[in-house]
Amino acid sequence: MIILGLEGTAHTIGASVINDEGEILSDVRKVFTTEEGGLIPNIVAKHHIQEGPKVIEEAIKEADIKEKDIELISFSQGPGLPLSLAVCKNLARDLSKKLKKPLIGANHICGHLEIGKLLTKAKDPVFVFTSGANTQIIAYEGKKYRIFGECLSIALGNALDKFGREIGLGFPAGPKIESLAKEGEYVKLPYVVKGMDVEFSGILTKSINMFKQGVKKEDLCYSLQETFFSMLAEVTERALAHCDKKEVLLIGGVAANQRFCEMLEIMCKERGAKFYAVPMKYSGDQAAMIAWQGYLEYKNGRRIENNFDIKPGWRIDQVEVNWI
Ligand code: AMP
Ligand code: MG
């Protein structure tokens, strides 16, 4: 079976063609970026409207198939920015009507988890999911993906990006913070773990204030990374012990951070667990994961309801898992 996936939950509009063996035949993405400011929803949506048809065309061409070869269209139904989701949904619906091929809506977070498993061969890990908008420690327990810990206010990527915006790094700031951190030394910051949850916003405010008071940005980048990543390593370790699992899989855009991988790897070694990180190429948002997720659900009997709509606040623990 040939599946076309469409991703459009936030900054990325992407299209990908895969087959039912999980081979990625094409993966085309256009990412909205800015030199200053952040993600302004209607400007991002305009970007997706403009680029959407082009990424679909390119994905088909790159996969070396014809449009009529597509047998299933899977799109990111949520969670995400409502305007981005709506653009993606419309593209998917129109294509499905035009080709007279079935449509399925995939949960973007399940997509991250499942492509991580597909690409690393991890079987039943504790997932550390850290992206622009999400920070969650997730594991499969009792027939559902359950959230064992999460951020209480802003997410890890967002906290890094906000700090970056304040110190003039533009979006996305994560990679720039990672390289500045290599030149930095530790300055004391608060450390906020509440039970199994983490809270980044106070630490962020404190760091911004320290920057304004003249603390070096390299030192703040280093200390922010050490603090944020340690907090998450602590909660992940406890989730591993609680669920009695033997694998950790880091997914989401922040998985590109080498220092974060290193810290989780050390923690796993000490516990006799195996650490995996999703390959950097597939750590961020892309449509291959949406295609794969849609296929897994479709194969196991899921069909989209007639009056489907976008699901901006769709939590992973609300997804009925039919494919495990
Ligand atoms: P996603 O939402 O999954 O596409 O991930 C995007 C987020 O990942 C943004 O907040 C980026 O700043 C962050 N990010 C990307 N690369 C890195 C990196 N090397 N270190 C830290 N954060 C990163
Ligand atoms: Mg994502």
Side-chain angles (χ1 to χ4, degrees):
M1 183 177 218
I2 296 286
I3 307 108
L4 177 93
L6 284 176
E7 157 60 26
T9 55
H11 43 63
T12 299
I13 184 81
S16 166
V17 177
I18 68 164
N19 65 20
D20 54 12
E21 285 171 7
E23 273 178 89
I24 299 168
L25 306 179
S26 68
D27 166 28
V28 179
R29 342 171 180 176
K30 293 269 159 56
V31 185
F32 176 83
T33 57
T34 62
E35 287 304 316
E36 53 183 44
L39 290 181
I40 299 167
N42 61 336
I43 298 179
V44 179
K46 263 189 206 150
H47 167 267
H48 292 358
I49 290 171
Q50 221 169 44
E51 302 294 341
K54 290 188 235 169
V55 296
I56 295 175
E57 202 183 307
E58 272 178 52
I60 291 171
K61 202 167 148 204
E62 199 182 297
D64 202 17
I65 60 159
K66 298 269 176 295
E67 206 177 54
K68 65 171 174 36
D69 299 331
I70 296 167
E71 296 166 88
L72 175 67
I73 296 151
S74 174
F75 72 101
S76 55
Q77 198 171 3
L81 299 173
L83 288 178
S84 294
L85 290 172
V87 174
C88 183
K89 178 196 89 168
N90 290 343
L91 281 167
R93 185 200 50 205
D94 293 351
L95 191 63
S96 149
K97 276 192 182 150
K98 178 178 161 198
L99 302 180
K100 299 193 177 60
K101 289 293 154 64
L103 185 65
I104 190 155
N107 179 287
H108 173 93
I109 300 176
C110 286
H112 274 298
L113 306 189
E114 291 299 337
I115 197 115
K117 278 163 64 182
L118 174 74
L119 298 173
T120 62
K121 310 260 188 304
K123 289 185 184 67
D124 182 22
V126 168
F127 296 91
V128 179
F129 175 39
T130 52
S131 68
N134 299 278
T135 299
Q136 293 174 335
I137 311 298
I138 300 167
Y140 183 71
E141 284 280 313
K143 299 199 167 75
K144 274 195 169 180
Y145 276 124
R146 302 194 189 262
I147 300 168
F148 285 86
E150 61 190 320
C151 55
L152 293 172
S153 51
I154 58 171
L156 179 60
N158 195 216
L160 293 169
D161 292 335
K162 269 197 174 163
F163 180 70
R165 188 161 77 211
E166 292 292 331
I167 68 169
L169 300 182
F171 175 85
K176 294 172 191 157
I177 290 175
E178 180 173 17
S179 67
L180 285 170
K182 294 195 175 115
E183 315 292 320
E185 284 176 22
Y186 183 72
V187 289
K188 193 163 168 37
L189 291 176
Y191 180 97
V192 193
V193 174
K194 298 179 179 176
M196 289 294 282
D197 295 325
V198 291
E199 171 67 280
F200 300 125
S201 64
I203 306 170
L204 173 64
T205 308
K206 172 88 182 170
S207 311
I208 293 168
N209 288 340
M210 285 168 76
F211 176 71
K212 287 178 182 157
Q213 286 155 10
V215 177
K216 270 174 62 186
K217 65 180 173 205
E218 289 82 358
D219 292 351
L220 287 165
C221 288
Y222 175 74
S223 309
L224 262 187
Q225 283 201 164
E226 294 300 301
T227 306
F228 286 170
F229 300 163
S230 306
M231 286 161 55
L232 286 164
E234 178 191 329
V235 177
T236 306
E237 184 171 18
R238 247 181 284 137
L240 260 182
H242 177 79
C243 300
D244 200 21
K245 298 211 191 275
K246 294 280 173 271
E247 300 167 311
V248 169
L249 173 52
L250 177 61
I251 55 170
V254 191
N257 189 291
Q258 290 307 301
R259 177 60 184 146
F260 194 20
C261 291
E262 186 183 39
M263 282 170 79
L264 288 172
E265 189 152 23
I266 292 168
M267 183 276 287
C268 283
K269 245 191 201 144
E270 288 173 354
R271 290 205 66 87
K274 199 154 169 32
F275 174 73
Y276 301 91
V278 65
M280 211 192 269
K281 186 171 175 209
Y282 295 99
S283 64
D285 293 351
Q286 25 71 29
M289 69 184 198
I290 302 298
W292 181 239
Q293 180 61 32
Y295 167 68
L296 289 176
E297 295 192 38
Y298 187 82
K299 182 177 74 165
N300 286 289
R302 175 106 63 230
R303 299 293 179 265
I304 201 163
E305 64 275 26
N306 274 335
N307 279 323
F308 70 92
D309 208 348
I310 57 169
K311 299 181 178 179
W314 196 11
R315 280 171 64 91
I316 193 163
D317 45 12
Q318 297 168 324
V319 175
E320 293 294 331
V321 176
N322 73 344
W323 64 93
I324 295 177

Short mmCIF file of all heavy atoms in Angstrom, two decimals, residues 11 112 130-133 157-158 160-161 171-175 178 225 229 252-254 256-257 283-285, ligand 1:
data_model
loop_
_atom_site.label_atom_id
_atom_site.label_comp_id
_atom_site.label_asym_id
_atom_site.label_seq_id
_atom_site.Cartn_x
_atom_site.Cartn_y
_atom_site.Cartn_z
N HIS A 11 4.65 24.83 12.83
CA HIS A 11 5.52 25.62 11.94
C HIS A 11 5.82 24.94 10.62
O HIS A 11 6.31 25.57 9.70
CB HIS A 11 6.84 25.93 12.66
CG HIS A 11 7.39 24.75 13.39
ND1 HIS A 11 7.77 23.60 12.75
CD2 HIS A 11 7.55 24.51 14.71
CE1 HIS A 11 8.18 22.71 13.65
NE2 HIS A 11 8.04 23.24 14.85
N HIS A 112 4.90 10.92 16.30
CA HIS A 112 6.28 11.03 16.81
C HIS A 112 6.71 9.73 17.50
O HIS A 112 7.83 9.26 17.31
CB HIS A 112 6.38 12.17 17.83
CG HIS A 112 6.62 13.53 17.25
ND1 HIS A 112 7.75 13.84 16.53
CD2 HIS A 112 5.91 14.69 17.33
CE1 HIS A 112 7.71 15.13 16.17
NE2 HIS A 112 6.59 15.66 16.64
N THR A 130 9.95 15.82 23.76
CA THR A 130 10.21 17.24 24.00
C THR A 130 10.28 17.96 22.65
O THR A 130 11.17 17.72 21.86
CB THR A 130 11.53 17.43 24.75
OG1 THR A 130 12.56 16.72 24.07
CG2 THR A 130 11.44 16.91 26.18
N SER A 131 9.30 18.80 22.44
CA SER A 131 9.27 19.54 21.18
C SER A 131 8.99 21.00 21.48
O SER A 131 9.09 21.43 22.64
CB SER A 131 8.18 18.96 20.28
OG SER A 131 6.92 19.22 20.83
N GLY A 132 8.63 21.76 20.44
CA GLY A 132 8.33 23.16 20.66
C GLY A 132 7.16 23.32 21.63
O GLY A 132 7.23 24.08 22.59
N ALA A 133 6.10 22.55 21.41
CA ALA A 133 4.88 22.76 22.18
C ALA A 133 4.61 21.69 23.23
O ALA A 133 3.64 21.79 23.97
CB ALA A 133 3.70 22.83 21.22
N GLY A 157 10.93 23.11 24.38
CA GLY A 157 11.36 23.82 23.17
C GLY A 157 10.92 25.28 23.22
O GLY A 157 11.68 26.20 22.91
N ASN A 158 9.69 25.46 23.67
CA ASN A 158 9.15 26.80 23.76
C ASN A 158 9.93 27.65 24.78
O ASN A 158 10.20 28.83 24.54
CB ASN A 158 7.67 26.72 24.15
CG ASN A 158 6.92 28.01 23.94
OD1 ASN A 158 6.05 28.35 24.72
ND2 ASN A 158 7.27 28.76 22.91
N LEU A 160 13.08 27.26 25.58
CA LEU A 160 14.36 27.59 24.95
C LEU A 160 14.18 28.69 23.91
O LEU A 160 14.96 29.65 23.84
CB LEU A 160 14.97 26.34 24.30
CG LEU A 160 15.41 25.23 25.26
CD1 LEU A 160 15.75 23.96 24.50
CD2 LEU A 160 16.61 25.67 26.10
N ASP A 161 13.11 28.56 23.12
CA ASP A 161 12.86 29.55 22.06
C ASP A 161 12.55 30.93 22.66
O ASP A 161 12.97 31.96 22.11
CB ASP A 161 11.71 29.10 21.16
CG ASP A 161 12.08 27.89 20.32
OD1 ASP A 161 13.28 27.69 20.06
OD2 ASP A 161 11.17 27.14 19.92
N PHE A 171 14.12 32.52 15.77
CA PHE A 171 13.45 31.22 15.91
C PHE A 171 13.93 30.26 14.82
O PHE A 171 14.04 30.67 13.68
CB PHE A 171 11.93 31.41 15.80
CG PHE A 171 11.17 30.12 15.81
CD1 PHE A 171 10.81 29.53 17.00
CD2 PHE A 171 10.84 29.48 14.62
CE1 PHE A 171 10.12 28.33 17.02
CE2 PHE A 171 10.16 28.28 14.63
CZ PHE A 171 9.79 27.71 15.84
N PRO A 172 14.21 29.01 15.09
CA PRO A 172 14.19 28.38 16.42
C PRO A 172 15.51 28.61 17.14
O PRO A 172 16.58 28.59 16.51
CB PRO A 172 14.00 26.90 16.09
CG PRO A 172 14.63 26.73 14.74
CD PRO A 172 14.48 28.04 14.01
N ALA A 173 15.45 28.78 18.44
CA ALA A 173 16.65 29.15 19.19
C ALA A 173 17.40 27.94 19.74
O ALA A 173 18.57 28.05 20.08
CB ALA A 173 16.25 30.07 20.34
N GLY A 174 16.72 26.78 19.83
CA GLY A 174 17.34 25.60 20.45
C GLY A 174 18.75 25.30 19.94
O GLY A 174 19.68 25.18 20.75
N PRO A 175 18.94 25.17 18.62
CA PRO A 175 20.28 24.84 18.12
C PRO A 175 21.32 25.92 18.45
O PRO A 175 22.47 25.60 18.73
CB PRO A 175 20.08 24.75 16.61
CG PRO A 175 18.62 24.53 16.41
CD PRO A 175 17.93 25.20 17.56
N GLU A 178 22.27 25.57 22.03
CA GLU A 178 23.17 24.43 22.19
C GLU A 178 24.61 24.82 21.87
O GLU A 178 25.53 24.45 22.58
CB GLU A 178 22.73 23.26 21.30
CG GLU A 178 23.65 22.06 21.46
CD GLU A 178 23.19 20.80 20.73
OE1 GLU A 178 22.33 20.90 19.83
OE2 GLU A 178 23.71 19.72 21.07
N GLN A 225 20.32 24.71 29.90
CA GLN A 225 20.32 23.33 29.38
C GLN A 225 20.54 22.33 30.50
O GLN A 225 19.81 21.35 30.61
CB GLN A 225 21.45 23.17 28.34
CG GLN A 225 21.14 23.76 27.01
CD GLN A 225 22.01 23.16 25.88
OE1 GLN A 225 21.71 23.31 24.73
NE2 GLN A 225 23.07 22.47 26.22
N PHE A 229 17.43 19.85 31.38
CA PHE A 229 17.64 18.45 31.00
C PHE A 229 17.75 17.55 32.24
O PHE A 229 17.28 16.40 32.22
CB PHE A 229 18.89 18.30 30.11
CG PHE A 229 18.83 19.08 28.81
CD1 PHE A 229 19.98 19.32 28.07
CD2 PHE A 229 17.63 19.57 28.31
CE1 PHE A 229 19.94 20.03 26.87
CE2 PHE A 229 17.58 20.29 27.11
CZ PHE A 229 18.74 20.52 26.40
N GLY A 252 10.90 14.12 19.35
CA GLY A 252 10.54 15.54 19.29
C GLY A 252 11.77 16.37 18.94
O GLY A 252 12.91 15.89 19.02
N GLY A 253 11.53 17.60 18.56
CA GLY A 253 12.60 18.46 18.02
C GLY A 253 13.80 18.62 18.92
O GLY A 253 14.94 18.73 18.43
N VAL A 254 13.61 18.62 20.24
CA VAL A 254 14.74 18.86 21.14
C VAL A 254 15.66 17.64 21.21
O VAL A 254 16.78 17.71 21.73
CB VAL A 254 14.26 19.34 22.53
CG1 VAL A 254 15.42 19.84 23.37
CG2 VAL A 254 13.23 20.46 22.40
N ALA A 256 17.32 16.61 18.99
CA ALA A 256 18.51 16.95 18.21
C ALA A 256 19.65 17.42 19.10
O ALA A 256 20.79 17.51 18.67
CB ALA A 256 18.17 18.04 17.18
N ASN A 257 19.35 17.72 20.36
CA ASN A 257 20.37 18.28 21.26
C ASN A 257 21.29 17.17 21.80
O ASN A 257 20.85 16.27 22.51
CB ASN A 257 19.68 19.02 22.41
CG ASN A 257 20.66 19.80 23.24
OD1 ASN A 257 21.49 19.23 23.94
ND2 ASN A 257 20.57 21.12 23.15
N SER A 283 13.52 13.82 13.99
CA SER A 283 13.21 14.25 15.35
C SER A 283 12.15 15.35 15.35
O SER A 283 11.32 15.42 16.23
CB SER A 283 14.47 14.72 16.07
OG SER A 283 14.99 15.86 15.44
N GLY A 284 12.18 16.18 14.37
CA GLY A 284 11.23 17.29 14.30
C GLY A 284 9.96 16.89 13.56
O GLY A 284 9.74 15.71 13.23
N ASP A 285 9.14 17.86 13.31
CA ASP A 285 7.87 17.58 12.64
C ASP A 285 8.10 17.25 11.17
O ASP A 285 8.82 17.97 10.48
CB ASP A 285 6.96 18.82 12.75
CG ASP A 285 6.53 19.08 14.17
OD1 ASP A 285 6.79 18.22 15.04
OD2 ASP A 285 5.93 20.14 14.41
P1 AMP B 1 9.26 20.33 16.98
O1 AMP B 1 8.19 21.16 17.60
O2 AMP B 1 9.21 18.89 17.36
O3 AMP B 1 9.45 20.53 15.53
O4 AMP B 1 10.64 20.86 17.61
C1 AMP B 1 11.03 22.19 17.48
C2 AMP B 1 11.73 22.62 18.74
O5 AMP B 1 12.97 21.93 18.90
C3 AMP B 1 12.04 24.10 18.76
O6 AMP B 1 11.61 24.61 19.99
C4 AMP B 1 13.57 24.13 18.66
O7 AMP B 1 14.16 25.23 19.32
C5 AMP B 1 13.95 22.84 19.33
N1 AMP B 1 15.28 22.39 18.92
C6 AMP B 1 15.68 22.04 17.67
N2 AMP B 1 16.99 21.69 17.67
C7 AMP B 1 17.43 21.82 18.96
C8 AMP B 1 18.68 21.65 19.62
N3 AMP B 1 19.76 21.26 18.97
N4 AMP B 1 18.73 21.89 20.95
C9 AMP B 1 17.63 22.28 21.63
N5 AMP B 1 16.43 22.48 21.07
C10 AMP B 1 16.32 22.25 19.75
#
